[in-house]
Amino acid sequence: MSHSTVPRSRSEADTTEKTPAASGGATGPGNGRDPGRTSLRTRFRRDRVLLLMTMPAVLLVLLFNYVPILGNIVAFEDYDPYVSDNGVVSMLHSPWVGLENFQRMFEDSAFWNAVSNTLVLFLLQLVLYFPVPILLALLINSVIRPKVRAVSQAILYLPHFFSWVLVIAVFQQLFGGAGVLSQLLREHGYDGLNIMTDAHTFKFLITAQSVWKDSGWGIIVFLAALASVPTDMYEAAAMDGAGRWRRMWHITLPALRPVVALLLVLRVGDALTVGFEQILLQRDYVGPGAAEVLDTFVWWNGVRNQDFGYAAAAGLVKGVISLGLVLAANKVAHLMGEQGVYKK
């Protein structure tokens, strides 16, 4: 009997018939479809419940974050909100001025003063404020007793829930002209001290207020990252003779590095937003020369002076620069081997 007439088993024949290369099926190489990839319709049916749950959040983001982007057209107009009761109609009928608002802005010394104050405040907060939550997280994580750790966290979290009005009032009672510090100095024969109205120390005052109010809240992310580190790594390092500092340097800090990189990218992207409400409440204490930042500059020109097109131009420039800072910082994170905000 020849080879071609040798009978084959049924299972072997079925396998041969169902082979994609032999049958030219739907997953064959000829049609370019990945055999391990699920179709869009199948994924939609599988995840429809999750999609419905996220739909309200997506709608809110679209409504309050993306739809207002269309309002940037005001930056290229001499916008007059009194043309119509409808804001969209007012935008359509306001005179078009092109780049005139941007030209005015770049020639305005007040704008460059606001940019300078914003960048100085950002650098101060990056150097003096950003490391504080990391240090506090390391300190709390080193506490062994759970009750002491819980009480410490509660005390550090509490100022975050205070309003800026209350925070500024507390600092006024401590460092104002009639505050505790000034009274203490006068009792010992020294002149009083009013830090709240000192233009030279105003930026350090703003940074100190931010540290006191929000540094405790910022440790939540770092504590979560530390909680994910396996305890057997510390035990193995201790058995190998590593002390507390070497364990922190070789185990704890590497565990925090991805989180630090992500938060640093986000912080750089938020560099031009340094606390609108906080600074606006204290702007009159030291004057716009020391306290004016981009956010208050936009508010003053847009809301107080009713120059909406000029304020919108400043806000648009701020947004473009912030986007560029995010992309640049994320690129640096990729070069350092971290994921950043998004993957490569």
Side-chain angles (χ1 to χ4, degrees):
M1 185 179 293
S2 64
H3 186 296
S4 59
T5 59
V6 175
R8 296 179 297 176
S9 63
R10 182 173 182 82
S11 59
E12 183 180 355
D14 293 341
T15 304
T16 306
E17 293 175 358
K18 294 179 181 179
T19 302
S23 60
T27 58
N31 60 5
R33 182 178 298 178
D34 187 359
R37 185 174 182 179
T38 309
S39 64
L40 180 62
R41 181 177 181 180
T42 303
R43 284 183 291 168
F44 179 79
R45 294 182 60 184
R46 180 191 62 194
D47 301 330
R48 60 183 181 276
V49 177
L50 297 177
L51 293 174
L52 290 175
M53 290 176 61
T54 57
M55 190 61 65
V58 172
L59 292 177
L60 288 176
V61 170
L62 290 176
L63 181 62
F64 292 102
N65 291 86
Y66 286 93
V67 173
I69 292 178
L70 301 176
N72 285 323
I73 193 176
V74 174
F76 304 92
E77 297 178 341
D78 184 12
Y79 179 67
D80 185 4
Y82 305 106
V83 172
S84 173
D85 294 336
N86 191 321
V88 177
V89 175
S90 298
M91 284 192 295
L92 295 177
H93 291 82
S94 294
W96 185 267
V97 297
L99 300 177
E100 180 180 336
N101 290 323
F102 296 93
Q103 182 179 358
R104 285 176 51 201
M105 180 182 63
F106 291 132
E107 295 175 354
D108 191 353
S109 60
F111 169 75
W112 293 112
N113 177 65
V115 172
S116 176
N117 291 335
T118 302
L119 294 177
V120 170
L121 271 174
F122 162 68
L123 293 175
L124 281 176
Q125 293 185 6
L126 185 65
V127 174
L128 301 179
Y129 168 71
F130 189 77
V132 174
I134 302 175
L135 297 175
L136 290 176
L138 294 174
L139 180 62
I140 292 178
N141 191 64
S142 64
V143 177
I144 299 177
R145 296 185 178 180
K147 290 185 179 180
V148 178
R149 182 183 302 181
V151 172
S152 302
Q153 292 181 26
I155 294 175
L156 292 172
Y157 293 167
L158 185 61
H160 173 76
F161 301 98
F162 295 163
S163 66
W164 278 115
V165 176
L166 180 58
V167 171
I168 295 171
V170 171
F171 273 76
Q172 179 69 35
Q173 294 300 318
L174 292 175
F175 305 109
V180 175
L181 180 60
S182 295
Q183 295 180 8
L184 185 62
L185 291 174
R186 293 190 185 99
E187 290 177 358
H188 291 80
Y190 298 97
D191 294 334
L193 185 65
N194 190 358
I195 300 178
M196 301 295 293
T197 58
D198 190 351
H200 297 90
T201 60
F202 179 75
K203 296 178 177 61
F204 295 95
L205 175 67
I206 292 294
T207 304
Q209 292 171 352
S210 300
V211 170
W212 183 71
K213 185 177 188 295
D214 291 326
S215 60
W217 184 257
I219 69 177
I220 294 177
V221 178
F222 297 107
L223 287 176
L226 291 174
S228 63
V229 180
T231 57
D232 55 358
M233 295 180 63
Y234 291 103
E235 296 173 356
M239 293 178 63
D240 291 338
R244 175 177 297 182
W245 292 105
R246 294 187 65 86
R247 292 197 300 269
M248 183 182 69
W249 183 260
H250 293 286
I251 298 177
T252 305
L253 293 181
L256 290 177
R257 191 173 67 177
V259 179
V260 171
L262 174 60
L263 294 181
L264 187 59
V265 170
L266 296 177
R267 185 69 190 92
V268 170
D270 205 29
L272 303 184
T273 302
V274 288
F276 168 74
E277 182 182 359
Q278 175 191 10
I279 297 176
L280 184 64
L281 290 171
Q282 304 175 87
R283 185 176 182 271
D284 294 336
Y285 291 170
V286 295
E292 192 80 289
V293 294
L294 283 174
D295 283 341
T296 57
F297 179 83
V298 171
W299 176 84
W300 188 267
N301 286 278
V303 178
R304 293 294 298 270
N305 295 341
Q306 301 288 300
D307 195 351
F308 296 100
Y310 185 58
L316 181 58
V317 169
K318 173 194 168 186
V320 172
I321 295 176
S322 298
L323 177 61
L325 290 174
V326 169
L327 297 177
N330 199 72
K331 181 64 176 180
V332 173
H334 289 167
L335 294 176
M336 295 173 59
E338 302 297 337
Q339 178 176 335
V341 178
Y342 56 86
K343 296 182 179 179
K344 295 181 181 180

